[in-house]
Amino acid sequence: MHLSNALRAATALSLIMVGAAQAETITIATVNNGDMIRMQGYTDDFTAKTGHEVEWVTLEENVLRQRVTTDITTKGGQFDIMTIGMYETPIWGANGWLVPLNDLSAEYDVDDILPAMAGGLSHDGTLYAAPFYGESSMVMYRTDLMEAAGLEMPTAPTWDFIREAAAAMTDRDNEINGICLRGKAGWGEGGAFITAMSNSFGARWFDMDWNAQFDTEAWANTLNFFKGMMDESGPSGYATNGFNENLNLFNQGKCGMWIDATVAASFVTGDGSTVADSVGFALAPDNGLGKRSNWLWAWALAIPAGTQKEAAAKQFIEWATSKDYIELVAANEGWANVPPGARTSLYENPEYQAVPFAQMTLDSILSADPNNSTVEPSPYVGIQFAAIPEFAGIATEVSQEFSAAYAGQQTVEEALAKAQAITNEAMEAAGYR
């Protein structure tokens, strides 16, 4: 054995022995998305290397946001690691609620994290959460149904084309909906989708004086277009469908198109999909105004300040978001199933470059600009959210009004009027206006 190899082996062994001597049980709150479920299946690898055990609390997206927000703000101490995103991380980091990740090992190679992801998970240049995967959003579509409709998907489609194609692919007799989109209430569910979509219609949440903008023509056009298209070509009950519901519909062959997170590409082309061999990809639509409707997000792992198990938690984060973890998944499940969008080196890997959705995912991520997301100037950072502490509460209420309009419980005009009032009242109470 070469001396360098021997040293590495000895170091690895000593880490395992130290970990075993100081073994902890850490509790992790995470979302019930496919990549997170997959990660749980590899926990034994982490335990074998460190001696630490892991207890998982796996929750639906809206419930996860509520649980971790309550825990962090009340210093509840239920979790040693939380799965959070680009909205929470800079705000919570600024508040001192998260442990800085400024001492990760050289082997971890923090500089390999895609700049868009590192920037969105930092405050004042300090990383407060490590991306497990990064995403934008894009169009996933049935190539067979598109061909049968006599249409060809552009690389960069418009919303008008999407609506035309959705109508052409809809076949109610065979339970095929031309398009499946999020209508579910929740700022990170249907609220995230409609906000990103509104950017391409020229809408924004606030003007430069923090006045709500839901009384504008741009927002009326956004909601009327969305509801009209979904009523024509979407599934029944779309007002309660989120990421997981639409993923299931698409994989069952019941959607002609689905516009959602780029991370879904591995699932719609994987073993669980009945249409895996007939899926194409395109950029999220635009409306000719210079803004596409794709977002930027990372599901990331962060450590709440005050945990008594900080060292073990950092070991887990290094393990789960490392190059080695990516290679572990690739070796067992293929490169198409590794967590995407987080590391530059992944997109430089020839084996990953051969994955059919790899380049479109990267192009979508690189085209998303959270600092310049709206047609008219806006005072906030963020694409599918406004990065202010009050946004989550306001947007959850607003999304509930929108979902009620999708369900036919009120008109679009009524929903927008309520959104305007909710938002302005909350911003005035918070001292913005």
Side-chain angles (χ1 to χ4, degrees):
M1 179 183 290
H2 291 296
L3 179 59
S4 60
N5 290 339
L7 287 171
R8 280 197 295 271
T11 300
L13 181 60
S14 66
L15 285 173
I16 293 172
M17 293 178 67
V18 169
Q22 302 173 345
E24 302 273 13
T25 297
I26 56 175
T27 303
I28 304 176
T30 196
V31 67
N32 63 344
N33 289 352
D35 280 291
M36 298 302 186
I37 301 299
R38 181 179 286 131
M39 174 172 58
Q40 294 175 39
Y42 289 102
T43 306
D44 287 347
D45 180 80
F46 169 72
T47 299
K49 289 175 177 175
T50 65
H52 303 308
E53 301 285 343
V54 178
E55 291 184 354
W56 293 94
V57 179
T58 306
L59 303 166
E60 187 269 332
E61 185 170 326
N62 285 339
V63 178
L64 173 75
R65 295 185 198 280
Q66 294 167 357
R67 287 279 300 276
V68 299
T69 299
T70 299
D71 193 66
I72 200 83
T73 55
T74 62
K75 299 181 180 179
Q78 294 183 55
F79 310 114
D80 302 299
I81 294 175
M82 295 174 166
T83 304
I84 60 176
M86 287 185 170
Y87 168 67
E88 301 95 341
T89 301
I91 297 171
W92 293 2
N95 287 343
W97 295 348
L98 301 176
V99 174
L101 300 181
N102 53 5
D103 58 352
L104 299 177
S105 68
E107 292 79 13
Y108 178 77
D109 192 6
V110 71
D111 292 336
D112 185 49
I113 297 174
L114 281 168
M117 299 300 152
L121 297 170
S122 298
H123 172 69
D124 281 349
T126 296
L127 190 71
Y128 281 94
F132 181 69
Y133 68 74
E135 67 180 41
S136 184
S137 50
M138 65 182 177
V139 183
M140 293 161 277
Y141 67 96
R142 291 272 300 277
T143 54
D144 55 337
L145 295 181
M146 189 70 71
E147 183 178 357
L151 297 171
E152 182 175 347
M153 175 69 78
T155 301
T158 65
W159 276 112
D160 284 341
F161 175 85
I162 293 296
R163 187 168 186 171
E164 175 192 357
M169 288 190 286
T170 298
D171 182 353
R172 299 295 191 199
D173 291 340
N174 290 302
E175 296 185 47
I176 296 174
N177 308 286
I179 190 162
C180 295
L181 300 175
R182 301 188 194 191
K184 188 176 187 176
W187 74 261
E189 276 279 11
F193 184 88
I194 201 68
T195 297
M197 180 179 176
S198 77
N199 296 334
S200 67
F201 278 73
R204 54 186 174 163
W205 267 75
F206 306 102
D207 68 12
M208 295 301 290
D209 295 318
W210 295 102
N211 297 303
Q213 296 295 288
F214 294 106
D215 58 354
T216 60
E217 183 180 359
W219 264 108
N221 290 341
T222 303
L223 252 66
N224 280 314
F225 187 97
F226 177 89
K227 179 171 168 54
M229 178 174 62
M230 294 301 290
D231 287 349
E232 293 165 1
S233 306
S236 61
Y238 70 85
T240 59
N241 287 351
F243 175 87
N244 284 327
E245 291 83 2
N246 286 325
L247 172 61
N248 289 334
L249 285 170
F250 194 95
N251 282 349
Q252 292 168 17
K254 296 183 178 181
C255 302
M257 290 179 291
W258 179 31
I259 305 170
D260 213 298
T262 53
V263 73
S266 68
F267 301 110
V268 299
T269 57
D271 292 339
S273 172
T274 63
V275 296
D277 296 331
S278 303
V279 182
F281 306 95
L283 293 172
D286 72 1
N287 225 7
L289 300 178
K291 301 294 178 185
R292 306 207 78 79
S293 49
N294 56 308
W295 62 64
L296 186 68
W297 185 254
W299 276 119
L301 303 179
I303 304 170
T307 177
Q308 301 302 304
K309 301 173 183 178
E310 180 179 320
K314 283 185 177 177
Q315 282 184 281
F316 183 88
I317 286 177
E318 286 210 20
W319 171 81
T321 66
S322 67
K323 298 176 188 177
D324 287 345
Y325 177 83
I326 290 173
E327 292 180 2
L328 175 66
V329 176
N332 286 279
E333 303 185 45
W335 282 100
N337 293 308
V338 304
R343 287 188 169 269
T344 300
S345 57
L346 179 64
Y347 292 92
E348 295 172 345
N349 185 322
E351 292 181 273
Y352 192 69
Q353 289 172 353
V355 172
F357 50 82
Q359 190 60 48
M360 186 60 70
T361 295
L362 184 61
D363 289 346
S364 298
I365 289 172
L366 295 179
S367 71
D369 183 0
N371 295 304
N372 186 29
S373 62
T374 55
V375 173
E376 295 185 68
S378 59
Y380 54 89
V381 172
I383 299 175
Q384 75 276 28
F385 58 83
I388 58 173
E390 296 79 12
F391 180 80
I394 298 169
T396 295
E397 287 190 58
V398 168
S399 72
Q400 290 167 351
E401 299 299 339
F402 289 177
S403 291
Y406 306 154
Q409 297 166 2
Q410 62 183 343
T411 66
V412 164
E413 291 74 18
E414 289 169 336
L416 288 170
K418 291 178 181 178
Q420 182 78 3
I422 288 166
T423 305
N424 274 339
E425 288 171 11
M427 295 302 282
E428 188 166 342
Y432 286 81
R433 305 175 62 243

